[in-house]
Amino acid sequence: DAKTTQPPSMDCAEGRAANLPCNHSTISGNEYVYWYRQIHSQGPQYIIHGLKNNETNEMASLIITEDRKSSTLILPHATLRDTAVYYCIVRVGPGGYNKLIFGAGTRLAVHP
Amino acid sequence: NAGVTQTPKFRVLKTGQSMTLLCAQDMNHEYMYWYRQDPGMGLRLIHYSVGEGTTAKGEVPDGYNVSRLKKQNFLLGLESAAPSQTSVYFCASSYEERSYNEQFFGPGTRLTVL
């Protein structure tokens, strides 16, 4: 599975968009980009995933560059409850056993 | 649906003691996983199971054993606890057939080994 690089920490004002970057320059053609988050002391929570097209769901949007070497998770209107560690994970997608390799992630702090 | 539950939530052991952590899921998932998370680090996979009666080793399996006798339960055992096993343990489960195989996590068990 490809490695990912994320900034260790970011800040965002409440109500503003939070844009969390992720570099995955060694991603393979069959590898997906997944995002999970972990709110303090809780188990990780799935947010979104994508292969090459941009994706949006009720929680966030995922923008993947055309060369697929980087991506950005967007929380359109951050709230205090979005304060968490965000993990960008790259792995082979559907079917079979899928191992999640968690790096250190980005610690997002949303402030009033 | 309760989702993924873990028992106990907290435990303190002395070196050499044994214990079993229980994970239960009510989503009829085929796959189940045990992770550990040390302070300031991401999760690391200990063992996993792709179905009832099957188990396999993950990244850091030494010192742990697992069993999956029933589809809904996945047990993690520590036969002789060591201080290096002080950690937060998370269980997760996932479908096999779903297109993106999202993992659902439990709330964690905080284990301290003295």
Side-chain angles (χ1 to χ4, degrees):
Chain A
D1 294 333
K3 273 187 73 172
T4 62
T5 304
Q6 299 178 252
S9 63
M10 294 183 66
D11 288 313
C12 178
E14 191 177 18
R16 304 296 295 269
N19 298 299
L20 290 86
C22 179
N23 286 322
H24 31 80
S25 58
T26 60
I27 192 170
S28 301
N30 63 345
E31 289 181 315
Y32 286 66
V33 180
Y34 288 74
W35 283 84
Y36 280 73
R37 74 179 182 182
Q38 187 175 21
I39 296 171
H40 181 62
S41 298
Q42 299 180 19
Q45 176 190 25
Y46 165 84
I47 301 173
I48 199 167
H49 78 286
L51 182 62
K52 53 184 177 181
N53 297 323
N54 297 338
E55 303 288 345
T56 296
N57 63 19
E58 64 278 4
M59 290 181 69
S61 295
L62 175 60
I63 308 298
I64 302 174
T65 58
E66 194 168 337
D67 62 8
R68 302 208 323 122
K69 293 185 177 183
S70 66
S71 60
T72 301
L73 178 75
I74 300 173
L75 307 178
H77 304 288
T79 71
L80 298 178
R81 286 177 294 182
D82 291 322
T83 293
V85 178
Y86 287 77
Y87 298 100
C88 170
I89 299 167
V90 173
R91 62 172 170 88
V92 174
Y97 158 58
N98 287 293
K99 183 172 65 175
L100 290 177
I101 299 178
F102 287 82
T106 295
R107 187 172 297 276
L108 175 68
V110 181
H111 50 84
Chain B
N1 283 354
V4 178
T5 58
Q6 294 182 231
T7 308
K9 289 185 169 51
F10 303 92
R11 186 73 187 267
V12 178
L13 290 178
K14 293 181 179 178
T15 297
Q17 288 185 316
S18 63
M19 77 162 295
T20 300
L21 283 68
L22 170 64
C23 176
Q25 52 94 7
D26 60 1
M27 296 173 281
N28 201 35
H29 285 171
E30 288 293 335
Y31 287 27
M32 297 187 74
Y33 315 79
W34 274 108
Y35 293 87
R36 62 175 286 174
Q37 184 173 33
D38 299 322
M41 297 180 64
L43 282 70
R44 292 183 292 171
L45 183 66
I46 305 172
H47 285 279
Y48 65 98
S49 168
V50 300
E52 183 178 320
T54 72
T55 64
K57 294 180 180 179
E59 295 175 76
V60 288
D62 293 342
Y64 305 95
N65 56 76
V66 288
S67 64
R68 183 100 181 266
L69 300 180
K70 294 183 179 180
K71 186 177 183 179
Q72 65 267 33
N73 295 336
F74 195 27
L75 305 180
L76 177 71
L78 286 73
E79 290 186 348
S80 180
S84 61
Q85 294 178 303
T86 293
S87 190
V88 181
Y89 292 84
F90 290 101
C91 175
S93 69
S94 65
Y95 289 108
E96 180 184 22
E97 297 85 10
R98 280 182 73 165
S99 63
Y100 50 82
N101 207 1
E102 170 191 349
Q103 290 189 19
F104 295 80
F105 284 81
T109 295
R110 189 173 297 274
L111 175 66
T112 301
V113 183
L114 303 176

